[in-house]
Amino acid sequence: MQLSNRISQIQPSATLKVSGKAKQMIANGIDVINLGIGEPDFQTPDNIKQAAIAAIQTGKASFYTPAAGLPRLREAIANVTATDYGISVDQTNVAVTTGAKMALYGTFQAILNPGDGVLLPEPYWVSYAEQIKLAGGVPMGMPVTDGFKVTPELLEQALTAQVKVLLLNSPENPTGVIYEPAELQAIADWAEQHQIWVITDDIYGKLTYNGAKFTSIAALKDQLPTNMIVINGVSKTYSMTGWRIGYVVANSELIKALSAFLSHATGNPAAASQYAALEALTGLQDDAEMMRHAFEQRLNTLYPLLNAIPGFSLATKPQGAFYLFPDVADAQALTGIATTGEFVDQLLTEAHVAVVDGNAFGVDHHVRLSYATDLETLKNAVSRITEFMKTHTK
Ligand SMILES: Cc1ncc(COP(=O)(O)O)c(C=O)c1O
């Protein structure tokens, strides 16, 4: 009995793997601090939970919805995007999906032919490469500036006849970097000139800190350019990772194709979750702001503490998302631990702190820590890592 070639070329999600190992250790009674997972520690706000409960109790959530989502939800997403991005879009430009993961998966299925290349500025989120492979495409990791940004010059160097798509993620997982409008304009011009699709993963767009402003590359004109595909969702902003609602905003022809794909792949995203997402996007935003503010405080506390750990360095302070991506080359040199994978393993087994190996994001000698957990736990994690460095420094 043999598995398909397709499935044999993909790896399980590295972030879920680390987190699974940490959870197993916790289940075995070990006090592990899990900074491996990218999920807010807050419960979903009450008004959102109540909207789902009402949808279940009134029976509205009992039935299939259209494959691309409830018309009211598609309309609400179009309205929020039109307002936030200053572009004119309507519900024919929107497909609701089972998490932003399915938004990306369906998009790759809809636009990639076998052998088509997707440029992935490094570091990049773990699932992009595997999803591209599942669509028959070729993930093409590419170098970025020291500030973790891609430029038209670097894109020009990476360009081959194979390249069909550029994937941008801002605010970025794992670096927390946000692109400036002028930088985006230059990238958009380059993509237009070469007729390259741009997928912009804006899932962390509302999680920006210390006055940093997020602009999407899809928000530079009054109209959404035909080659731009926006990926977004409610998972991170509204602490709704378990509800699985994401969405795509793109030209209506692509949305039609995507809807056909979704009609066979998922049928529709869970109806109760769609009613919850409708409330998230149209209801009071106070809880979302409270959570954003909490992440900001954590970043401001954790950033200097982490930089003070011998061998850990973070040149620029992240501006968004909820991750830190320190360079640990010196920490490895100090401790004589040869690979970042081993360093991460030892941190987990000895210091009981779970972080993710930067290699999972295409960049060696870095680790990713998530600060989507409370301040006390974060400070405790820093103490444990500091102690680990003290005992292992040669
Ligand atoms: C950059 C990025 N895009 C997409 C997703 C997927 O989000 P969702 O939980 O809505 O599928 C994540 C989740 O970790 C992410 O970090």
Side-chain angles (χ1 to χ4, degrees):
M1 304 299 287
Q2 281 205 332
L3 298 177
S4 70
N5 296 340
R6 198 183 324 105
I7 205 72
S8 304
Q9 15 153 19
I10 64 160
Q11 302 291 326
S13 161
T15 49
L16 294 184
K17 204 165 119 193
V18 170
S19 194
K21 203 165 162 185
K23 281 182 182 163
Q24 186 56 50
M25 287 172 73
I26 293 166
N28 292 344
I30 303 169
D31 167 31
V32 171
I33 299 178
N34 187 1
L35 306 185
I37 188 118
E39 117 172 301
D41 55 323
F42 299 100
Q43 281 207 17
T44 304
D46 229 34
N47 61 318
I48 300 174
K49 288 183 189 168
Q50 290 307 327
I53 292 167
I56 292 167
Q57 284 181 337
T58 55
K60 286 193 295 188
S62 302
F63 306 104
Y64 291 132
T65 75
L70 291 164
R72 276 176 63 205
L73 178 56
R74 292 175 72 189
E75 199 185 328
I77 291 166
N79 289 341
V80 166
T81 309
T83 309
D84 289 353
Y85 289 23
I87 53 176
S88 69
V89 282
D90 62 33
Q91 63 162 288
T92 64
N93 300 110
V94 176
V96 185
T97 57
T98 305
K101 256 189 188 167
M102 184 50 84
L104 285 157
Y105 186 85
T107 298
F108 292 132
Q109 293 290 327
I111 66 173
L112 293 180
N113 284 318
D116 284 343
V118 181
L119 289 175
L120 297 175
E122 291 164 345
Y124 50 82
W125 180 52
V126 293
S127 290
Y128 297 147
E130 308 309 278
Q131 291 198 352
I132 292 163
K133 287 191 260 173
L134 285 169
V138 180
M140 299 172 68
M142 61 166 290
V144 294
T145 62
D146 288 346
F148 292 123
K149 284 182 179 171
V150 78
T151 62
E153 292 71 33
L154 291 168
L155 286 165
E156 201 59 34
Q157 284 164 23
L159 185 66
T160 65
Q162 191 179 18
V163 174
K164 187 172 186 179
V165 185
L166 164 67
L167 204 156
L168 268 195
N169 174 213
S170 168
E172 190 183 63
N173 174 4
T175 61
V177 154
I178 296 181
Y179 282 80
E180 298 294 330
E183 296 165 336
L184 294 169
Q185 187 62 61
I187 297 168
D189 291 346
W190 177 87
E192 189 182 342
Q193 184 198 340
H194 295 285
Q195 302 205 318
I196 304 273
W197 288 99
V198 178
I199 300 177
T200 176
D201 182 346
D202 296 355
I203 189 95
Y204 296 102
K206 296 229 162 145
L207 294 176
T208 63
Y209 313 118
N210 302 308
K213 286 221 160 31
F214 163 66
T215 303
S216 172
I217 193 166
L220 300 172
K221 295 185 175 166
D222 297 342
Q223 302 293 325
L224 180 65
T226 322
N227 67 329
M228 300 261 175
I229 304 168
V230 179
I231 305 293
N232 213 328
V234 295
S235 301
K236 315 285 180 176
T237 313
Y238 300 99
S239 207
M240 291 178 70
T241 48
W243 299 78
R244 313 307 305 129
I245 297 293
Y247 52 87
V248 182
V249 181
N251 72 72
S252 53
E253 200 186 326
L254 173 63
I255 293 298
K256 249 192 220 155
L258 191 56
S259 306
F261 165 79
L262 292 167
S263 73
H264 298 295
T266 55
N268 61 262
S273 295
Q274 292 191 58
Y275 285 102
L278 183 60
E279 173 62 22
L281 293 171
T282 58
L284 268 184
Q285 301 295 304
D286 299 15
D287 285 332
E289 172 54 18
M290 178 278 290
M291 296 189 279
R292 188 206 62 78
H293 188 249
F295 292 136
E296 183 173 79
Q297 271 188 319
R298 293 167 184 184
L299 168 66
N300 292 343
T301 307
L302 188 61
Y303 175 71
L305 292 178
L306 200 69
N307 251 335
I309 300 177
F312 279 62
S313 75
L314 256 167
T316 38
K317 186 173 176 180
Q319 297 182 294
F322 38 61
Y323 309 100
L324 294 162
F325 196 60
D327 186 323
V328 293
D330 289 348
Q332 286 180 233
L334 285 170
T335 54
I337 301 174
T339 67
T340 309
E342 277 172 52
F343 186 73
V344 164
D345 270 351
Q346 288 195 28
L347 268 185
L348 179 57
T349 50
E350 295 178 34
H352 298 160
V353 179
V355 301
V356 187
D357 181 349
N359 284 294
F361 303 89
V363 176
D364 199 7
H365 300 305
H366 285 70
V367 297
R368 189 194 79 171
L369 300 89
S370 159
Y371 53 88
T373 193
D374 66 276
L375 266 178
E376 273 321 297
T377 308
L378 291 171
K379 287 183 194 160
N380 196 355
V382 169
S383 308
R384 290 185 189 190
I385 300 172
T386 308
E387 192 55 35
F388 174 87
M389 288 305 299
K390 226 186 253 168
T391 48
H392 285 74
T393 295
K394 299 217 162 20

